[in-house]
Amino acid sequence: ASTQPNILIVIDDSGSMRGSRMQAAKDAAILMLESLSNVRVGVGSFSGQSGAHSYGVGGELDHEIVDLDKNRAAIYTAIKNLKATLWSTPLIGALQDMGRYFIGLGGSTNPGNSESASCTKNGQYKGPLTLRPDSNPSKVDVAQVLPRSPRKKGTGESPICHFCQKNFVILLTDGYGHGNASTLLRNYCPSCWHDLISVAAALYDIDLRPDIDDFDGKEVKNNVVTYTIGFHTSQPLLKLAAEKGGGDYFEADNEEKL
């Protein structure tokens, strides 16, 4: 059997999503998951101060990535419990924090490729990451590249278990990306004119788990693909972030389109 992909759905819970928009987003997310099986899914949202000007914030992990078929009720509950209360739309910080979650923040250090087919938690990687591996490679410690973790992170263990595993983040938002990327990720590519694009490009370009090699001990790229969904918004920013992140961009104005 093929390795189940990891899918992390990050839903905008800023104030502009209050009311019918938030309910439509949650209903659509659950409806999408109803059509999926044999995948691993987690739920994320934004982290910040309710009702306050706070742009330097990021993400929170509302449910760790787990086997969807075995944990539907818990995942759906995590989605249903989201509330639109934040002032800003910290897309940049949220995506960056989720990238750190895929690297891992707890458990055993550098465990490598898991031998368990049912693995959903695989420790953490500590050491250097190779930035721009195909053009101008440089090795920098992971704590400098992605210095912050999601505010709520559970055990903090990485969901990347196997070298052949695909990893995805789906960002659903109705707003523009606020916040800043880490210093090392800013202007990551020549056309990265916004920090959100830089972070998406970096997560797609960098091997986030250098300790996980193939069966022959050869390096592979354990990266993250970013998909973006603009809800009641049409933005070149979200489109380019998805393109540089290896994914696709979609637009929707109602639950049916979502």
Side-chain angles (χ1 to χ4, degrees):
S2 60
T3 300
Q4 293 178 332
N6 292 316
I7 303 172
L8 182 58
I9 302 174
V10 181
I11 300 176
D12 184 341
D13 58 352
S14 62
S16 60
M17 288 286 288
R18 287 192 184 100
S20 60
R21 286 191 183 187
M22 191 65 187
Q23 191 58 52
K26 294 192 288 187
D27 290 345
I30 291 173
L31 188 62
M32 179 190 72
L33 294 180
E34 280 288 301
S35 69
L36 298 178
S37 63
N38 197 34
V39 297
R40 296 168 185 176
V41 172
V43 180
S45 60
F46 298 159
S47 172
Q49 296 175 280
S50 300
H53 289 279
S54 181
Y55 295 118
V57 291
E60 67 178 39
L61 192 62
D62 300 287
H63 199 293
E64 292 179 288
I65 291 176
V66 292
D67 187 312
L68 174 62
D69 294 326
K70 297 177 181 177
N71 298 275
R72 286 187 185 273
I75 292 172
Y76 293 176
T77 296
I79 294 172
K80 291 174 182 177
N81 286 342
L82 294 176
K83 293 178 174 59
T85 58
L86 302 183
W87 179 275
S88 64
T89 308
L91 284 174
I92 301 162
L95 183 58
Q96 187 168 259
D97 292 354
M98 298 311 169
R100 185 61 191 269
Y101 163 58
F102 277 94
I103 293 172
L105 293 143
S108 60
T109 299
N110 302 345
N113 192 68
S114 173
E115 296 182 358
S116 170
S118 60
C119 166
T120 58
K121 295 181 175 68
N122 194 31
Q124 59 185 315
Y125 171 73
K126 288 186 177 180
L129 297 177
T130 303
L131 279 61
R132 302 177 183 86
D134 300 320
S135 57
N136 184 27
S138 62
K139 291 184 178 293
V140 185
D141 190 79
V142 62
Q144 293 179 267
V145 180
L146 295 165
R148 193 175 58 192
S149 66
R151 188 172 68 87
K152 289 161 59 177
K153 59 180 183 294
T155 64
E157 290 197 50
S158 168
I160 302 178
C161 292
H162 308 107
F163 71 87
C164 53
Q165 198 163 20
K166 303 299 183 183
N167 307 287
F168 304 92
V169 168
I170 301 174
L171 281 177
L172 191 158
T173 181
D174 72 341
Y176 195 79
H178 293 298
N180 298 298
S182 69
T183 302
L184 290 166
L185 294 188
R186 292 173 193 166
N187 305 308
Y188 189 82
C189 67
S191 58
C192 293
W193 53 269
H194 190 281
D195 278 4
L196 181 64
I197 303 168
S198 288
V199 174
L203 295 183
Y204 184 62
D205 189 50
I206 298 170
D207 177 7
L208 301 176
R209 287 296 302 260
D211 60 310
I212 299 177
D213 297 329
D214 69 11
F215 291 133
D216 295 324
K218 295 180 181 178
E219 293 183 2
V220 295
K221 184 174 287 189
N222 304 288
N223 60 354
V224 171
V225 173
T226 299
Y227 282 75
T228 58
I229 302 174
F231 191 40
H232 287 277
T233 184
S234 178
Q235 292 187 36
L237 170 62
L238 293 177
K239 185 175 187 295
L240 191 55
E243 289 176 357
K244 292 298 181 183
D248 286 311
Y249 167 59
F250 303 93
E251 294 180 4
D253 294 323
N254 55 52
E255 180 183 340
E256 183 179 355
K257 287 185 178 180
L258 271 177

